Amino acid sequence: MLKALVTDVDGTITDRRRRINTGAIEAIRVLVDAGIEVVLASGNTVCFMDGLCRMIGTDGTIISENGGVYRRGYGGTLHIPGNQDICLETFEVIREHFAGEGVELELFSARYRYADVAFARNVDPDDVRGVVHAHCLPAEVLDTGFAIHLQDPAVSKGTALRSLAEEMGLLPDDILAIGDSENDINMLEAAGVGVAVANALDPTRSAADWVSREAYGEGFLESVKKYYPDLLSR
């Protein structure tokens, strides 16, 4: 049996409006009670993830800011391998570019972020990538479908998964990972088994070992029932 589950949040255990699937919550609690390590992985901030973990009922092990931050348990050391300086440098050039076009970029939770920069999708992510490429800027652009993130290219959900696996005394092969977006690709590839829910983008689906028939939270529930049938047989 796979010893741990790492799951994305938005678009994987939620619907497109970010409403959490209650069946997904129940399934996570079953796994936690059975001794399966459950890690929530997201582009969201640590404070957001802490609240989510408390409400769902996990032990607080998280991958935050798309791998720029991770932690084992609520009391564990907060590791920040992501370099936010290069993200801020990149954002300033992007901000100036779009300001010249009369577009103001809306930052998300800037004061609570340690490793990346996130802003609203009121501009085309491909246009943002074009600015980064044209100016040879150091940060990577990630489009989660919910926000645009500027990320240190040296970190990802996949690098955080490997680091957490070592802290947990596991191998990456012991881990099931589930996701939907481009920021989940490295995570699916790093895990022993990578699953994409049906609403996943084509590159994410291609990186997965299996793709669910159902989308969003229902796809998550279908996936954990497939890989933990003895625990979730109903």
Side-chain angles (χ1 to χ4, degrees):
M1 180 185 292
L2 293 160
K3 298 175 182 178
L5 164 66
V6 180
T7 181
D8 172 53
V9 177
D10 291 318
T12 300
I13 63 171
T14 77
D15 64 15
R16 69 187 61 176
R17 293 168 59 187
R18 300 188 76 195
R19 299 177 300 186
I20 298 180
N21 183 290
T22 56
I25 294 174
E26 292 173 2
I28 289 171
R29 290 172 178 169
V30 169
L31 296 179
V32 169
D33 290 346
I36 304 298
E37 299 259 14
V38 177
V39 181
L40 301 184
S42 175
N44 283 297
T45 63
V46 172
C47 56
F48 177 96
M49 298 296 283
D50 279 350
L52 190 61
C53 290
R54 295 281 186 192
M55 299 299 287
I56 291 177
T58 70
D59 71 352
T61 300
I62 57 169
I63 295 172
S64 181
E65 300 184 41
N66 295 311
V69 183
Y70 67 91
R71 184 192 65 211
R72 172 82 192 281
Y74 291 111
T77 299
L78 190 68
H79 300 282
I80 309 174
N83 180 352
Q84 192 181 46
D85 288 342
I86 65 173
C87 302
L88 293 169
E89 173 190 341
T90 299
F91 178 75
E92 282 306 308
V93 177
I94 294 169
R95 183 187 61 77
E96 290 178 8
H97 171 85
F98 285 105
E101 297 182 351
V103 179
E104 183 177 353
L105 301 183
E106 178 190 356
L107 284 170
F108 286 162
S109 308
R111 65 184 294 186
Y112 301 112
R113 291 186 175 274
Y114 300 108
D116 79 349
V117 171
F119 54 97
R121 298 176 79 251
N122 62 327
V123 292
D124 188 322
D126 285 337
D127 290 344
V128 176
R129 291 188 178 98
V131 175
V132 169
H133 178 74
H135 292 270
C136 299
L137 298 171
E140 179 182 11
V141 179
L142 292 176
D143 176 21
T144 67
F146 296 90
I148 298 172
H149 293 256
L150 302 177
Q151 180 99 10
D152 178 349
V155 300
S156 68
K157 288 185 181 181
T159 59
L161 182 151
R162 292 187 186 95
S163 297
L164 276 175
E166 185 174 356
E167 280 200 36
M168 292 187 287
L170 302 176
L171 297 173
D173 284 351
D174 296 324
I175 298 174
L176 168 66
I178 307 176
D180 75 300
S181 192
E182 68 178 22
N183 61 326
D184 297 316
I185 291 173
N186 290 334
M187 179 177 78
L188 302 190
E189 292 175 338
V193 177
V195 171
V197 288
N199 54 289
L201 302 172
D202 286 342
T204 311
R205 295 165 70 96
S206 296
D209 298 299
W210 186 75
V211 180
S212 69
R213 292 180 297 276
E214 301 292 334
Y216 298 101
E218 289 300 313
F220 170 86
L221 191 55
E222 177 190 353
S223 303
V224 293
K225 286 181 176 179
K226 173 179 174 64
Y227 289 99
Y228 298 100
D230 295 338
L231 300 177
L232 297 155
S233 57
R234 292 179 295 172

